[in-house]
Amino acid sequence: MACGMICVHGVGKAFGETIAVERAELCVERGEFVALLGPSGCGKTTLLRLIAGFESPDTGEIRVADVPVAGRTVCVPPERRRIGMVFQDYALFPFLTVAENVSFGVARRERRRRVAEALELVGLAGLDKRYPHELSGGQQQRVALARALAPEPSVVLLDEPWSNIDPLRRHAMRDELAQILRVAGVTVLLVTHDREEAFSLADRVALMLEGTIVQAGTPEDVYLRPADRWAAEFAGAGNFVRGRLDGELVETLLGRFPVTGRNGATDVDVLIRPELLELRPDAEGTAEVVAREFRGHDVFYRVRLADGTTLVSHRPSTELVALGDRVTVRAHASAVPVFS
């Protein structure tokens, strides 16, 4: 059953009548950065707490570094799992200095060395005597990360660490934190409901819905080759048009395309992402731009076709089309996913 640094096999957890995690399967390889992505209430944080040891599974097994840490006959306490965790609210001790916060959980004989190394790694050398309230939000987050890294864990778990950060600062802070973690060389599992965050940071993304891992793969796989209709919609904006399979091709109102997978049905819904739809101004065009959203570097358009079908197109702002313009719509897709 060995499968990398973290192995979650058939794990389930219920709180009374509420099932939080059900038959979850997840593998995270050594040194990998994986994002656990899903809507609020889907069981992401519960699964993270099960891996950390703050909860015990009702069914299944969890291994860390190929060592069983939770299951029917074993329950290793959190402090013995070699797992560091950064909580959503950082959970710093307000009455302890930065150095004292970071040294929490480190063996006494190693504290001076490990605290200095961890603070250097996160760029807080020289701030060891300050208290949390004397630091900015970003600095507090780095203290929390230093505390997670100080005991030299094999795995670091991040529970939506940027959810309380101002959106204007979030992008820079998450890039900074991700870079620190990659330099540290640890295995990372990030819980988030932010699609952009997951796609931009992670080596692989695991989509979770109603306690179950629906799909796991690279961000490109999840976006371009979603496992089902829900995964397709959650991974990003998309156009679903009717199509009819003919061998290895599907016929749609936008043309014929190769398909990425078949499920036995003949009449299917075809996913075409907005960035694959090109709009060409054409006074004789059969489509009309009925809405547009200018975002600076790009523009989202809503286009109504002659038969009343409405599609969305995502184009760079160098290809501006005015509201009300007639256009010709062309899809540039080498292959498309289909769903029954």
Side-chain angles (χ1 to χ4, degrees):
M1 193 182 296
C3 97
M5 185 56 70
I6 302 173
C7 179
V8 174
H9 179 64
V11 166
K13 179 66 178 180
F15 299 98
E17 297 297 317
T18 302
I19 298 174
V21 177
E22 185 174 18
R23 298 189 303 275
E25 300 277 346
L26 179 65
C27 175
V28 182
E29 299 294 342
R30 185 181 299 272
E32 196 175 26
F33 193 130
V34 171
L36 188 58
L37 173 66
S40 298
C42 73
K44 305 184 301 293
T45 294
T46 298
L47 183 55
L48 204 72
R49 291 176 60 83
L50 288 165
I51 295 169
F54 302 134
E55 303 285 354
S56 298
D58 300 327
T59 59
E61 182 185 61
I62 299 173
R63 291 175 174 249
V64 176
D66 205 26
V67 175
V69 296
R72 188 175 60 181
T73 60
V74 63
C75 185
V76 176
E79 64 273 13
R80 292 179 51 201
R81 296 193 183 190
R82 292 198 62 209
I83 291 177
M85 188 156 182
V86 178
F87 297 91
Q88 191 174 49
D89 60 358
Y90 313 146
L92 299 178
F93 299 111
F95 51 86
L96 298 182
T97 65
V98 166
E100 290 168 339
N101 266 284
V102 174
S103 67
F104 191 82
V106 180
R108 185 179 298 275
R109 65 181 180 279
E110 295 288 323
R111 285 180 182 173
R112 181 173 301 211
R113 176 182 67 85
R114 286 303 301 153
V115 167
E117 290 176 351
L119 289 178
E120 179 71 29
L121 180 63
V122 302
L124 293 180
L127 300 184
D128 52 306
K129 292 183 171 58
R130 293 195 184 181
Y131 288 87
H133 72 271
E134 298 176 310
L135 304 175
S136 68
Q139 289 173 325
Q140 290 179 25
Q141 184 183 72
R142 283 185 278 163
V143 172
L145 180 58
R147 182 178 60 186
L149 293 172
E152 298 183 288
S154 55
V155 172
V156 171
L157 308 179
L158 307 173
D159 185 12
E160 305 214 41
W162 302 284
S163 62
N164 296 324
I165 301 297
D166 186 297
L168 294 176
R169 300 172 55 212
R170 189 178 301 157
H171 189 278
M173 288 182 63
R174 72 189 186 200
D175 288 348
E176 178 183 77
L177 191 61
Q179 180 61 30
I180 291 170
L181 288 164
R182 293 194 186 278
V183 170
V186 295
T187 303
V188 180
L189 182 59
L190 163 71
V191 158
T192 181
H193 64 271
D194 188 315
R195 181 178 62 245
E196 179 186 342
E197 192 169 277
F199 283 6
S200 64
L201 296 179
D203 302 314
R204 284 194 304 128
V205 174
L207 287 182
M208 193 169 190
L209 177 67
E210 297 178 351
T212 301
I213 305 296
V214 173
Q215 180 178 4
T218 65
E220 294 85 357
D221 281 339
V222 170
Y223 185 73
L224 298 174
R225 290 171 285 279
D228 58 23
R229 176 80 180 242
W230 176 83
E233 293 176 334
F234 192 78
N239 299 291
F240 291 91
V241 299
R242 293 300 291 168
R244 187 173 182 82
L245 285 171
D246 179 14
E248 299 302 315
L249 299 175
V250 62
E251 181 76 36
T252 76
L253 55 77
L254 294 172
R256 289 166 61 88
F257 308 100
V259 298
T260 60
R262 299 191 58 169
N263 53 16
T266 300
D267 294 312
V268 294
D269 285 337
V270 181
L271 170 64
I272 300 177
R273 294 294 187 190
E275 64 274 10
L276 300 179
L277 287 186
E278 178 186 8
L279 306 182
R280 292 184 178 178
D282 181 356
E284 304 299 320
T286 58
E288 179 187 0
V289 176
V290 295
R292 70 196 295 269
E293 182 180 336
F294 182 74
R295 299 183 177 184
H297 60 288
D298 57 17
V299 188
F300 258 87
Y301 296 97
R302 193 170 299 276
V303 181
R304 186 168 56 233
L305 305 185
D307 66 353
T309 301
T310 300
L311 304 175
V312 290
S313 174
H314 182 196
R315 308 306 301 162
S317 57
T318 54
E319 301 178 13
L320 289 176
V321 181
L323 185 65
D325 274 1
R326 307 296 298 183
V327 294
T328 297
V329 180
R330 182 179 178 187
H332 296 273
S334 57
V336 293
V338 297
F339 309 97
S340 57

